[in-house]
């Protein structure tokens, strides 16, 4: 096994940091051999079978080509829950976990109707359904392929979420239901930010879920908060994950559209990342 680990370190060492490589090693051995961190130390002199070694080499080769490990394994962890992922959905991010934790803390013990717009893998909808036990969660996405993954994730995590294919740009959904909370992590990366992005994101993750035109970066926020005027109950809440560059603009948009108690919240790296507001009626 030590052989295998040094092979991983030399192969990936040219373009990944030591801490990234250590986390790859941990994830690879956990998924291929079922090893915990302690097992990794206990088994350090274990001889790996040929088939295990081949399996690991294949994974390492793909990581070396910048393919995200979450797509290679088809799984990732989010809010302590395992989610299936494919290139049809964005890989859930730690910033989004922070938004889910915030909503779960603020609304814990209540029974809100929640709508997640642009659900992707379903990570927000499924985690909220799990964390706020009496909630009633609906989730929309434009992509039927994404919805298939999201449905699978709800099922595998034993929660009920009602999924629907809706394109928020084309349709002003004629929904009679109202929600206490609307949450969304819509596409928010401007096309001109491409140059600053990592290859593993740019070459593998769905552009449909990432990008907005340079000239209208708040496109989805505007549509959602306008729809929110009909879809939210009196004093219902909006939670958005945002591009750190547009905190103030998004806040202004909320204010001009009749929302109050607007708060911009920073993520763990100190960037403006979440915005929340309440509909004023
Ligand atoms: N946070 C993601 C990124 O860093 C983008 C998510 C989004 O566009 N909603 O690529």
């Amino acid at each position: 096994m030590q052989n295998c680990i040094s092979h991983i370190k030399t192969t990936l060492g040219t373009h990944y940091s030591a801490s990234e490589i250590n986390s790859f090693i941990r994830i690879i051995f956990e998924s291929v051999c079922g090893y915990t961190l302690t097992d990794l130390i206990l088994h350090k002199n274990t001889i790996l079978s040929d088939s295990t070694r081949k399996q690991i080499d294949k994974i390492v080769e793909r990581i070396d080509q910048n393919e995200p490990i979450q797509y290679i394994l088809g799984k990732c962890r989010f809010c302590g829950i395992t989610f299936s992922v494919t290139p049809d959905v964005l890989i859930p991010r730690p910033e989004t976990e922070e938004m889910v934790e915030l909503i779960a803390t603020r609304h814990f013990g209540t029974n809100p109707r929640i709508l997640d717009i642009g659900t992707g893998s379903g990570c927000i909808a499924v985690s909220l359904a799990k964390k706020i036990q009496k909630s009633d969660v609906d989730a929309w996405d434009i992509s039927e392929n994404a919805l298939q993954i999201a449905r699978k994730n709800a099922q595998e995590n034993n929660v009920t979420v009602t999924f629907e294919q809706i394109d928020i740009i084309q349709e002003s959904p004629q929904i009679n239901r109202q929600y206490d909370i609307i949450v969304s992590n819509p596409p928010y990366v401007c096309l001109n930010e491409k140059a600053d992005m990592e290859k593993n994101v740019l070459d593998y993750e769905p552009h449909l879920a990432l990008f907005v035109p340079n000239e209208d970066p708040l496109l989805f926020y505007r549509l959602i908060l306008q729809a929110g005027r009909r879809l939210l109950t009196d004093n219902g809440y909006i939670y958005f994950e945002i591009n750190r560059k547009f905190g103030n603009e998004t806040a202004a948009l909320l204010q001009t559209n009749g929302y109050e108690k607007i708060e911009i919240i920073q993520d763990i790296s100190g960037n403006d990342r979440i915005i929340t507001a309440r509909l004023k009626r």
Side-chain angles (χ1 to χ4, degrees):
M1 184 161 137
Q2 274 174 332
N3 243 339
C4 180
I5 289 181
S6 28
H7 168 72
I8 298 177
K9 286 185 175 164
T10 37
T11 311
L12 302 181
T14 52
H15 52 294
Y16 288 100
S17 71
S19 74
E20 282 173 311
I21 295 173
N22 281 332
S23 102
F24 287 141
I25 292 172
R26 193 175 42 75
I27 298 170
I28 291 172
F29 280 95
E30 189 193 345
S31 98
V32 177
C33 310
Y35 286 176
T36 62
L37 212 51
T38 327
D39 291 333
L40 259 183
I41 300 162
L42 291 176
H43 289 270
K44 78 173 192 273
N45 292 319
T46 302
I47 310 280
L48 300 173
S49 73
D50 272 1
S51 78
T52 303
R53 182 65 204 251
K54 271 201 191 114
Q55 226 178 317
I56 293 175
D57 286 351
K58 264 210 185 106
I59 296 172
V60 174
E61 221 171 273
R62 290 171 70 179
I63 298 175
D64 194 35
Q65 302 294 316
N66 297 307
E67 189 170 348
I69 189 163
Q70 295 89 342
Y71 290 151
I72 300 172
L73 302 175
K75 297 235 167 297
C76 72
R77 298 280 291 174
F78 178 87
C79 285
I81 302 170
T82 300
F83 283 88
S84 290
V85 287
T86 69
D88 282 315
V89 301
L90 218 57
I91 296 166
R93 306 283 205 269
E95 303 88 277
T96 312
E97 285 183 306
E98 291 182 44
M99 178 166 69
V100 168
E101 297 297 349
L102 177 81
I103 301 172
T105 308
R106 291 197 175 176
H107 298 272
F108 184 76
T110 64
N111 54 350
R113 300 193 73 144
I114 301 175
L115 171 63
D116 174 20
I117 300 182
T119 195
S121 64
C123 63
I124 296 175
V126 170
S127 312
L128 286 176
K130 251 196 140 63
K131 284 175 184 284
I132 308 176
Q133 282 179 2
K134 290 190 188 142
S135 61
D136 184 348
V137 185
D138 289 359
W140 300 347
D141 205 282
I142 181 183
S143 158
E144 188 49 48
N145 289 348
L147 286 169
Q148 275 180 25
I149 305 294
R151 284 194 190 97
K152 179 170 177 218
N153 282 322
Q155 209 168 23
E156 285 175 352
N157 288 297
N158 303 312
V159 293
T160 306
V161 173
T162 307
F163 293 101
E164 214 167 326
Q165 187 183 22
I166 289 180
D167 175 1
I168 188 88
I169 295 188
Q170 297 301 330
E171 299 162 46
S172 165
Q174 296 308 312
I175 305 277
N176 293 324
R177 255 159 295 146
Q178 281 199 317
Y179 299 91
D180 303 298
I181 298 170
I182 293 179
V183 56
S184 184
N185 173 22
Y188 62 64
V189 182
C190 293
L191 282 164
N192 61 15
E193 292 179 271
K194 258 189 185 175
D196 306 326
M197 291 169 77
E198 301 287 346
K199 250 179 111 50
N200 57 355
V201 176
L202 215 47
D203 292 353
Y204 292 95
E205 297 205 68
H207 288 197
L208 179 68
L210 282 171
F211 292 111
V212 281
N214 299 332
E215 60 284 0
D216 196 5
L218 300 184
L219 166 71
F220 291 100
Y221 299 93
R222 196 175 57 246
L223 291 168
I224 293 169
L225 60 86
Q226 281 167 358
R229 298 191 50 79
R230 281 180 294 113
L231 292 171
L232 281 170
T233 52
D234 289 355
N235 300 323
Y237 286 89
I238 280 255
Y239 290 87
F240 283 138
E241 182 176 319
I242 56 164
N243 185 326
R244 64 187 169 148
K245 292 184 184 158
F246 299 117
N248 292 335
E249 282 90 337
T250 317
L253 199 59
L254 281 159
Q255 195 166 22
T256 50
N257 280 278
Y259 289 80
E260 62 182 358
K261 288 186 89 179
I262 300 163
E263 261 179 281
I264 299 177
I265 297 156
Q266 279 84 38
D267 62 20
I268 200 172
S269 319
N271 295 316
D272 288 350
R273 187 63 66 197
I274 302 166
I275 195 159
T276 162
R278 193 173 75 176
L279 182 63
K280 185 163 59 177
R281 275 223 230 264

